[in-house]
Amino acid sequence: MRYAIRKAVAWTVGIFCAVVVFPAVAVADNPIVQHIYTADPAPMVHNGRVYLYTGHDEDGSTTFTMKEWRVWSSADMVNWTDHGSPMSLATFSWASTNAWAGHTIQRNGMFYWYVPVTNRATGRMAIGVGVSNSPTGPFRDALGRPLVENGEIDPAAFIDDNGQAYLYWGNPNLWYVRLNPDMISYSGSATRIPLTTAGFGTRTGNPSRPTLYEEAPWVYKRNGLYYNVFAAQCCSEFIAYSTAPGPTGPWTYRGTVMPTQGRSFTNHAGIVDYKGSSYFFYHNGALPGGSGYTRSVAVEKFAYNADGTIPMMTMTTSGPPPADTLNPYARQEAETIAWGSGIETEPAGEGTMNVGWIENGDWIKVKAVAFGAGAKSFTARVASGAGGGTVELRLGNENGSVVGRCAVPGTGGWQNWTNVSCPVSGATGTQELFLRFTGGSGYLLNMNWWQFTS
């Protein structure tokens, strides 16, 4: 978010405090990213982490103004690492606008990101493919042209147990192709799945669209049953789902997953299993300035019913409990955040990302930090093009007990990095850690990473 919008988050928190509802805000972990608007979540589990691929609604958007895609990851479902933007409209030389809802899947050590964009030559929505050998990119255009183009949107890929891959997409229709093993070509032609009321529910008041299916299919398989979770009806949308005995149907409508709610007239779902639990991703307009065009991704933990049906869920501000603890004695990226107030992120000159635009009173929360018997010292990689500031280490909340203070000097530039260290006392057990930044006026410092010693 730009300065005015990101400060609105801190301002709103302050107002909530004044009316004595601040504790609910302080413990909130939904939406899972607070420093920019995110939309259209596409989660993927790989090598013990959840990678989350999202769109990016530009600040102040009054339509779907989207120019890039973003990547985040987590090992515990509460602290999310910002990996920046490894793919944008500029990745596709043939695309002009609309970096809309995509989906990433891994095969044979490569990662394929299917995205809808406007084809400059035709003016229609088309689906391109970005490819990378890393889940965090950078991604390049795999084809130099669209994979498919029929003016429809919202691709989602699925690989069946027998190795056959499928790409689904569509609004107002629902299409699929059988992808070849290279994941960037397909056999046969695009097939339209019949949208019947038995398969996708009944919509009233719109004779041209008799079923609930609107867009954003999310297809996966569980215990031999195929699920298609989709955005239903318009507008506002809710999340519904259908099941089938095979990847192409016949589909049977099963009901609502998440009813219409939140300050967004669209929704977009993604479901994964991770560390023995199931998680449902969606978006809403919950951040300050949020709307149907400035959305934010959130997540809920859930359990399937005994018969395999999906329970109905509602949006929460709390989000899921930690799926694991965070090890403070391993180096942690500063942009690994459960909740941030006032901060932003940017590409770091040393690689990865750094937290920046830090001012007096800004803070970062990190959840489920496992200090164990106790931390002895704290080291951070910092830079400052001004006079520096102080990093206060607090437990419990941003005004909690101080267990350490690290002074950060001016370093002569916002990417001139140095390490600072300070003693720590009283950090034991598993805690919520707050890095609170203090100092004079203006921007104080940037932070790249941090690490405790035991």
Side-chain angles (χ1 to χ4, degrees), residues 249-263:
W251 297 97
T252 300
Y253 182 65
R254 296 298 183 186
T256 299
V257 177
M258 176 171 279
T260 300
Q261 56 193 288
R263 294 200 306 266

Side-chain angles (χ1 to χ4, degrees), residues 187-249:
S187 299
S189 58
T191 300
R192 187 164 64 181
I193 294 174
L195 292 177
T196 65
T197 54
F200 295 92
T202 302
R203 184 188 311 216
T204 58
N206 189 344
S208 66
R209 298 191 72 162
T211 78
L212 291 172
Y213 176 83
E214 182 72 19
E215 58 186 354
W218 181 272
V219 178
Y220 64 100
K221 185 179 184 181
R222 178 181 182 271
N223 294 340
L225 188 64
Y226 295 81
Y227 292 74
N228 186 344
V229 181
F230 56 90
Q233 200 153 293
C234 185
C235 287
S236 295
E237 294 175 349
F238 64 96
I239 300 298
Y241 79 111
S242 302
T243 61
T248 62

Side-chain angles (χ1 to χ4, degrees), residues 56-113:
H56 173 201
D57 289 335
E58 294 291 326
D59 295 348
S61 294
T62 56
T63 184
F64 296 114
T65 307
M66 307 174 77
K67 302 175 183 178
E68 65 179 11
W69 298 270
R70 307 278 297 208
V71 182
W72 323 82
S73 73
S74 179
D76 52 31
M77 297 302 297
V78 292
N79 301 301
W80 291 89
T81 302
D82 184 347
H83 297 286
S85 173
M87 195 168 77
S88 70
L89 286 172
T91 303
F92 303 96
S93 61
W94 50 270
S96 57
T97 57
N98 299 329
W100 287 359
H103 182 230
T104 303
I105 197 167
Q106 184 270 342
R107 188 166 205 173
N108 298 327
M110 302 297 288
F111 299 85
Y112 300 89
W113 200 341

Side-chain angles (χ1 to χ4, degrees), residues 13 27 34 76 133 138 203 213 308 322 326 354 420 426:
V13 169
V27 300
Q34 306 86 41
D76 52 31
N133 60 5
R203 184 188 311 216
Y213 176 83
L326 182 140
N354 67 256
V420 296

Side-chain angles (χ1 to χ4, degrees), residues 94 114-116 125-129 145-149 152 155 167 169:
W94 50 270
Y114 302 90
V115 291
M125 293 302 296
I127 294 172
V129 189
R145 56 175 172 79
L147 171 64
V148 292
E149 179 178 347
E152 300 194 39
L167 185 71
W169 76 99

Side-chain angles (χ1 to χ4, degrees), residues 142-165:
L143 291 170
R145 56 175 172 79
L147 171 64
V148 292
E149 179 178 347
N150 63 3
E152 300 194 39
I153 60 174
D154 290 358
F158 164 69
I159 302 174
D160 208 347
D161 297 339
N162 63 3
Q164 178 62 60

